[in-house]
Each structure stands twice: as structure tokens, then as C-alpha cells.
Amino acid sequence: MSIQLLSDQLASQIAAGEVVERPSSVVKELVENAIDAKATTINIDVRGGGRQLIQVADNGLGIPADELEVAFRRHATSKLQTAADLAAIHTLGFRGEALAAIAAVSQATVVSRAAGDAAGTRLILDGGHKSSRETVGAPQGTVMAVENLFYNTPARLKFLKSVTTEKRLIDEFVTRYALAYPDIRFRLTHNNRITFQSNGDGRLLDVLAVVYGPETARQLLEIGDQRVESEEERPVSTPQSLISVSGFVGPPSLHWANRNHITLFVNGRWIKDNSLTYAVIQAYHTLLPTGRYPLGVIFITMPPEEVDVNVHPAKTEVRFRRQSAVFGAVQRAARQTLVADSPIRSMSSWSGAGTEATTPGWGGSLDFAAFTRRNDQGELDLEWLAAADSTITGQETDNGVGFDTSSPENLGGDKLPIMRVVGQVGASYIITEGPDGLFLIDQHAAHERILYERFMTDRANEAIVSQGLVAGTAVHLSPSQATLLTENLGRLGNLGFQIEPFGPNAFMVRAVPAILIKLDPARALHAVVDDLERGDTPLQGHIEARIILRVCKTAAVKAGQILSPPEMEAMVRQLEACRSPHTCPHGRPTLIHLSVAQLAREFGRI
Ligand code: ADP
Ligand code: MG
């Protein structure tokens, strides 16, 4: 076959494939256009999972009568003129492709009246070709009706999923936009039945209540504006100060088997981003059972020139100029919210060194960790103090390092009720009774949790030991890393580093924190710079990982070990005092609850 130019029609159909993959992509593009047109009401009507009809009606600015045809041409847009505009996108659309693409693969009708126009215009297109145009009476705004999607591209039609699946995908898109724009009133119908409706009162929580149900919405924790705080923490202007994060996260008690409940928006645009999704998940580190994922509805706002949305025609993938700064901002926002809203924070009895784990109503002051240390003839003699890292001195000095209050041990789980110890089963589980039914506690997992929180608190109070290097090591950094490091030299000194400037973008490392002595000094420094770039507390990750390792080594209460009543009592009291008692540091559950209602059901009483 000789080389030939494709016909316009075929070229449009091919191009359409990237923008319009399925009915939900039509809904997305039309809704985005309505939002860009400053609509305050958007009604979406769908029939046959979107194959028969997708109609989006808005009360926005409308399209002037003489621009109606142009709007359907490829690369026709009112949102962009120059390359400079492209570098700072303020609207959801900008590529001027959607209407052309949609019209090319469907039978489309648009009725629009622009503000100031006396009447509206109706334009009908068939596979992108105009078939009729007339002046009609119409309210201000635009109604786009897309019928028989893919009627002229059978290959596409074959790839559509069931009506139910396509319907679900449409629901998801509409829900996302309703969350991103609480002041717009959305209504979605499938075959004339309303499936979603938001009231447009501007309150995100109201939309969340519609999406997740009022019960769940009540439990959600609102993210404060993190921008201000990070500026306080870092007086030097850093990329973080340009990024603000808001929205809601769920408490650790709400979790799902998949990540679908983490929804991310950048400047009002829903995005897919595995790395930021992971940032949210990381904020729940050690708080969620393994394989379970939290809820997060996260809005990231930043100067438009910091983010490139022109990566793919669907505009759901973006690139950040400073990926790690965004990652850090999201992770910190989620963590700090979990800390601030933690109900356990009010438990002042546990805020100190953590050795007084007394609970009201329990007379003794038997400390499980201490208890096991004292017992020198049983298997419980774990000499946990002796097992403490040799690299850490025992002195309690305030070295000013301080611990990030957002370290996981401070995060709120849900507090346990006061429990009565009933006994032990299988030499592995402690049975207790609480206000609503009974609990089975995995004694090993519980001991791991108790030790983890203990060690984290101890660590916060311990001096960090600096270890001098026999010969200094010169490390070269990128200019931006070098600036970041220079700004943080004092902070790193507190952590045990001794670093001196050594020429442009180079540093001489003379001492490192003892916990990093096994690392090559250059790698140690790079690890810390990575933490700083992400906005994380330097070394926090290393410290946590080491503590978890140590917990594994020292958690002497194993499965298969018979515990005396005082031992069980001590362990239960200390688990009650834990901040995040529901999981062990590996994310496995520490206990199972059987409610009275559940028992009644099992016995066929209700
Ligand atoms: P883009 O959104 O990238 O500009 P589209 O093909 O989606 O490209 O739309 C082309 C143009 O048509 C838009 O730039 C806008 O001027 C106009 N338009 C489309 N939909 C609407 C609407 N609902 N209300 C007002 N104008 C619209
Ligand atoms: Mg558009």
C-alpha cells in the first residue's frame, strides 16, 4: 500500500481513541467543560450505561452561537492561546480535543445559549459532520447530548464492559467531581433514576456524607491547612511552602481491601498517582492491618506552573516539578491529622516516659515490660534492657532533636475499653471481657505492640550518639540538595552528624549518628538528604525500622507460653494504655472482638 494521508474522519476517529475510551470518559470531559464554564448546577443523565445516551446540562457561560461549530473542531479551545498559557494551566480542559473526539464517534446534539445572547442554538452532528442547525429558545448554559456512542467504531464497542460496570465507572467520575467541587450542585440519573445528588452548599463533608454515608462521614478527620505549619517548621523557604494540602482522612479503624478509597486532586483535577497514594498509606504505618487501605480525600493546591498536566490526553496523570516535596507534604498532612485528632492524645497519663501504664480501676502498678525483666527464673526473663542497642546510651538527656510528633507511635488508633481478664486459651490467646462482649488477644502480637511503643518513647528520650569517622569522607550533592543540607546543618548536628562545607556542593562528613555507622558515610548523608527533600523527619524511617527489628528480637512472650493471671493482667493493662493497640508493628491484629450481638446471632437468639 502506498503512503497516503488519512481522511479527516479517520484521523479524528483514531485521535478520539485516546480521549474517549469509554462512556465514563465522555462524562468526564463534558463535566469538566461544564465546570470550566463556571456552572453551579450540572445534571447528568445516562441511559444504557452511557451507550444509548449521555447528556450533560449546565447553567454555565454557554457557547456563543457563532462559535458553536468551531467548538467541535480538533484543537479548538477558548482556554489557551500561548505556550506560556500551557505552562500554567488554570482550567480542567485546554487541549481542545474532547468535543471533536466525542462527536467523531457518536451522534451529538448541543443546545447552548451564551450569556448575553437573545436565543440559543441547536446543532446536531453525526459522526462529527453537521446535520442540522437552528435557533431555539433555551436557558443560559449548555446541554450536550451524546447518543449511540461508538456506533461507527465497532472495534471500540466490543471493548465496552457490561452496563453495570460502565455505570459504576460513570458513578465514580461524577462522585469525584462532586467531591472536588462541593459548591456545584450535581445530579446523576441512570435510566431516569437518580443515583447521586449533591446539594452544592459548598461543604465537602456534606458531599462525603452522600458518598460514604453519614455514619462514615462523621468519623472522618479533617486535614488542617498544612502549608502554614510547614512554614513555621522550616523558616527557610522550601518547595513545601508552596504546596498546600487539605481534605479528609479516615481514622485507622476504617479500612478497605483496596486503595480505591484514596482519592487525590491537584488544583481541582482528579489524578491517578501511585506514589501519592502510597504517601497516604505510609501515613498509617503500623496502624492498619497488612493488606488493608485507608480512606483519604486529598486536595493538593500548588502554583499551576509546578505541575504538568499535559502528559496524556485524558489529563489524569500529572508530573510534578518537585515530586518528593509533594510526596512529603501529602504524607505529613495525613500523619499530622491522625495525630491531632487522635482521641488518645487526651490521655495525659501516657504522655510521659510511658513507664506508668496505670489505668483507672486497676490498683497495681505492675508493668509488663518491667515485670518480665524482673522475673529471673521463668521463660519471661527477656532482659530487654540489656538487649537495648549498644549504640544508644541510657542517659536521659534532652538533646533538642525531639521526635516528630507525627511518628507513628503517637498516632491515634482507637482506644481499647477497660477489660477484665477471663483466662487463656491454647497457651496463645488471652480472653478478656469488655463492655460489649469478649476479646481474644494474641499475646505475642500484643507484646510486640507494647514493646514497640515503649521503645519509641525511650528512643525519644535518649541521646543520639555521634560516631567519629577515622578519615572524613567527601560527599558531592546536587545544587538543590546542597542548599537544603546547608539550611539544615544545625539540625543534622543534633542528630549526630558532623558535616563541614567542602567546596561548591561538596561536604566533608566527619561523624555520623551511631545508628548509621554500618552505612557508607556518603549513603548515610544521602539517606538524610532524601528525608529532608521529602519533608520527613531525618532518620525517622531508619529508627522505626530498627525498633521494629529490636521488638522482634525481644518480644519474649511467644505463642504456646502459659501466662499466670498477674502476667495476663499486666499485659492487658499495658495494651489498653497503648496508643495504637489494634495492630502489632507489622500491622497484624493484636485482638479480635466478639460483640454481645454477634454472640446472640451465633446462638440464634436474634
Ligand atoms: P477544551 O475543554 O480542552 O477547551 P473541548 O473540546 O472540551 O476543549 O471544548 C472546546 C471549547 O468549547 C471549550 O474551550 C469551550 O470554549 C467550549 N465549551 C465546551 N463545552 C462547554 C460548555 N459546557 N460551556 C461553555 N463552553 C463550552
Ligand atoms: Mg474540555
Side-chain angles (χ1 to χ4, degrees), residues 29-30 32-33 36 77 79 92-99 315:
E29 293 296 334
L30 296 184
E32 288 189 352
N33 280 347
D36 281 345
T77 178
K79 301 169 191 174
L92 294 173
F94 57 90
R95 296 174 58 107
E97 287 178 329
L99 290 189
K315 303 165 290 180

Side-chain angles (χ1 to χ4, degrees), residues 276-288:
L276 294 186
T277 302
Y278 183 64
V280 178
I281 295 169
Q282 254 204 350
Y284 287 79
H285 184 49
T286 82
L287 291 177
L288 291 182

Side-chain angles (χ1 to χ4, degrees), residues 275-332:
S275 154
L276 294 186
T277 302
Y278 183 64
V280 178
I281 295 169
Q282 254 204 350
Y284 287 79
H285 184 49
T286 82
L287 291 177
L288 291 182
T290 328
R292 305 292 295 178
Y293 300 95
L295 182 152
V297 177
I298 313 272
F299 298 91
I300 305 156
T301 315
M302 65 175 80
E305 50 281 1
E306 290 265 318
V307 47
D308 182 4
V309 291
N310 191 20
V311 177
H312 183 267
K315 303 165 290 180
T316 50
E317 283 156 49
V318 298
R319 273 197 214 106
F320 298 105
R321 264 181 60 194
R322 297 173 232 226
Q323 167 68 30
S324 53
V326 182
F327 184 97
V330 169
Q331 193 207 42
R332 218 172 27 253

Side-chain angles (χ1 to χ4, degrees), residues 14-88:
I14 291 170
E18 290 199 287
V19 185
V20 187
E21 197 194 338
R22 51 186 353 113
S24 58
S25 13
V26 174
V27 172
K28 170 180 177 290
E29 293 296 334
L30 296 184
V31 167
E32 288 189 352
N33 280 347
I35 295 170
D36 281 345
K38 305 197 175 1
T40 55
T41 301
I42 302 177
N43 292 333
I44 303 119
D45 297 303
V46 177
R47 278 211 298 272
R51 283 189 219 183
Q52 277 169 36
L53 170 79
I54 294 166
Q55 177 177 298
V56 175
D58 69 58
N59 63 348
L61 299 171
I63 307 174
D66 56 349
E67 291 179 11
L68 212 49
E69 277 88 353
V70 194
F72 284 89
R73 300 263 300 273
R74 268 164 75 195
H75 314 302
T77 178
S78 58
K79 301 169 191 174
L80 196 69
Q81 278 181 346
T82 64
D85 294 342
L86 184 60

